[in-house]
Amino acid sequence: MDPKILSLQTTFKQESAAFKDSQQDISKNHSNRQTFLQQQHENELVLQELELLDEDANIFKLVGPVLIKQDPLEATANVEKRLEFIKGEVDRLDAQLKRLDDKQSKRQHTLRQVEEQLQEITQAAVKSDGA
């Protein structure tokens, strides 16, 4: 078999494997992002509930099997910090997703080029055998 065909087939297999890996990375990114968005929504609801409470309301935090009284300002600050962290993680995952999409697009383009080259060589070989 022609060494150029073997080289192209090897390249195609490697790029296909890399493309599949990038698809898995994108899927994992979507899953992680969805988890953070769910946590963000839950924490936003908690913050809304905290804002509805009276100033003298008792707030308790579950620590293990025990409820511990917590200062309302501290509870609100904790939820706000958690929301900041979650927003940062969502932004990080969005940037990562953009990089992964760009990388996958390049791999897809490379796969198309290699596939076209293989088809051209195969067609040329068929024509030369038929002639």
Side-chain angles (χ1 to χ4, degrees), residues 28-65:
K28 186 177 177 182
N29 179 289
H30 281 297
S31 175
N32 290 341
R33 188 175 184 280
Q34 191 64 32
T35 301
F36 278 112
L37 288 175
Q38 182 179 357
Q39 289 176 357
Q40 182 178 21
H41 180 68
E42 290 170 0
N43 280 280
E44 286 170 349
L45 290 174
V46 169
L47 191 59
Q48 288 174 1
E49 290 294 323
L50 288 172
E51 290 170 356
L52 292 174
L53 293 176
D54 294 331
E55 290 181 24
D56 61 342
N58 291 325
I59 298 175
F60 294 91
K61 180 177 181 178
L62 184 63
V63 179

Side-chain angles (χ1 to χ4, degrees), residues 60-91:
F60 294 91
K61 180 177 181 178
L62 184 63
V63 179
V66 180
L67 286 174
I68 297 176
K69 192 170 182 177
Q70 191 174 25
D71 178 55
L73 293 176
E74 182 182 345
T76 303
N78 285 343
V79 173
E80 288 171 347
K81 275 191 179 233
R82 216 175 301 133
L83 281 169
E84 285 177 34
F85 171 77
I86 291 169
K87 184 180 178 340
E89 286 300 303
V90 169
D91 291 345

Side-chain angles (χ1 to χ4, degrees), residues 105-121:
S105 294
K106 289 177 185 175
R107 291 200 188 288
Q108 192 172 21
H109 180 71
T110 302
L111 281 170
R112 273 194 230 116
Q113 286 179 328
V114 171
E115 189 174 31
E116 288 172 6
Q117 290 174 354
L118 280 169
Q119 287 175 350
E120 289 172 6
I121 291 172

